[in-house]
Amino acid sequence: MIGKFIVFEGVEGGGKTTQIKLLRNWLLEQWESDKLFSKYKDLEVIITREPGGTKVGKALRELLLNADLSEEQIQEKTELLLYAADRAQHIETLIKPSLERGAIVLCDRFIDSTIAYQGYGRGLDLALIKQLNHIATGGLKSDLTLWLDIDVEIGLTRAKNRGKIDRMEQADIQFHQRVKKGYEELAENNPLIVRIDADLTIKKVQQQIQEIIVQKLYSK
Ligand code: T5A
């Protein structure tokens, strides 16, 4: 299969949304100008995200990120199951069909977000989360996960400067530090997760991403 599933992960405000758009433009530009990977010319490049990549997912996203709902109003296990429901719908109706058509899917967050946020952040059982991830994905994994690693406080400041903060961003700093720790441990144990230094300028972060894409996915 020529199409690839590329996931972007990391704590709040790491620049995933910004970098995904830049990567898509760069890939299309490479093909148009025949500079790189000309044999992949005309591949579809899709941008999607979790939560919220589908119509059902958009409704779940509104609920999950609603800053007016307190922690008691969405219990931790409820939160976990809502993220899993979003993912199951996303996989079946968007990700799998796109990959089967040979598209490149650039996805803002996937299973590692649940491990980092609900596992390390909320402290829910990791084995249970992995099982649930498996149910939601049917075992589908990314071809590459780019972990945009940023200092938690810098990322939260960026997110706050952008405007109103959401329900997850409202959690205390210790929660976000635990999430970061989660990503560190995930990356230590999984060679498919590549760390990107996201504390740098937008341009420098994008350069790192392009180099990894060439090295890992389209070098042959
Ligand atoms: N979640 C999600 C779970 O808890 N469990 C799960 O299973 C899943 C799937 C999703 C929330 O849900 C949680 C995690 C999240 O809390 P979201 O809105 O998708 O919510 O949140 P994020 O994914 O964190 O998205 P953000 O929009 O907050 O951050 P991004 O996309 O990483 O960052 P971006 O590109 O929007 O940039 C943020 C700001 O920084 C600037 C941008 O211009 C923007 O203003 N910026 C930079 N500034 C300086 N230097 C750079 N290098 C910059 N890069 C970007």
Side-chain angles (χ1 to χ4, degrees):
M1 191 159 54
I2 296 175
K4 300 281 181 205
F5 184 27
I6 304 172
V7 170
F8 287 68
E9 286 282 359
V11 297
E12 311 296 319
K16 294 181 282 39
T17 313
T18 308
Q19 295 299 334
I20 286 179
K21 285 186 195 146
L22 290 172
L23 178 61
R24 180 175 189 274
N25 293 344
W26 179 74
L27 285 169
L28 297 178
E29 196 190 292
Q30 299 308 304
W31 292 325
E32 261 168 37
S33 58
D34 262 350
K35 278 191 216 148
L36 268 176
F37 347 113
S38 52
K39 68 178 169 176
Y40 303 114
K41 209 171 162 69
D42 297 330
L43 280 192
E44 203 184 342
V45 184
I46 291 173
I47 293 182
T48 188
R49 68 176 174 187
E50 290 191 0
T54 63
K55 199 169 176 188
V56 168
K58 283 192 180 81
L60 292 170
R61 181 182 173 92
E62 285 216 356
L63 195 60
L64 279 161
L65 301 188
N66 184 345
D68 297 330
L69 292 174
S70 66
E71 282 185 15
E72 294 73 43
Q73 284 170 312
I74 296 194
Q75 292 287 308
E76 289 171 349
K77 274 193 202 152
T78 312
E79 179 183 283
L80 171 66
L81 292 167
L82 289 173
Y83 280 115
D86 167 74
R87 182 161 303 130
Q89 183 73 10
H90 196 204
I91 286 280
E92 286 306 320
T93 65
L94 193 140
I95 296 180
K96 255 210 289 190
S98 305
L99 291 172
E100 281 164 9
R101 279 201 309 276
I104 294 180
V105 178
L106 306 180
C107 187
D108 194 336
R109 301 192 177 279
F110 191 53
I111 51 175
D112 293 332
S113 280
T114 319
I115 297 175
Y117 279 79
Q118 281 65 51
Y120 285 79
R122 301 280 190 229
L124 293 176
D125 182 54
L126 288 175
L128 172 75
I129 292 175
K130 285 180 191 161
Q131 218 180 343
L132 203 53
N133 274 343
H134 191 82
I135 293 170
T137 61
L140 185 87
K141 296 210 167 79
S142 69
D143 292 293
L144 175 68
T145 294
L146 297 163
W147 164 39
L148 269 58
D149 184 22
I150 190 170
D151 177 88
V152 167
E153 296 198 30
I154 296 178
L156 282 171
T157 305
R158 281 187 195 168
K160 280 174 192 156
N161 287 344
R162 209 183 28 192
K164 194 172 171 247
I165 58 166
D166 66 39
R167 193 181 65 88
M168 301 298 290
E169 286 162 352
Q170 279 175 350
D172 60 32
I173 189 80
Q174 289 79 11
F175 169 82
H176 293 287
Q177 298 285 11
R178 291 196 297 277
V179 172
K180 181 173 162 87
K181 177 90 187 133
Y183 282 116
E184 285 165 2
E185 291 191 9
L186 277 164
E188 263 169 37
N189 298 310
N190 183 351
L192 285 179
I193 302 179
V194 178
R195 179 185 176 273
I196 302 289
D197 184 353
D199 282 338
L200 306 175
T201 62
I202 291 177
K203 196 171 168 196
K204 286 201 173 133
V205 175
Q206 180 62 203
Q207 275 167 353
Q208 294 175 71
I209 292 173
Q210 291 169 4
E211 278 165 24
I212 299 292
I213 296 288
V214 172
Q215 258 176 41
K216 298 264 178 192
L217 294 183
Y218 294 109
S219 55
K220 289 176 207 145

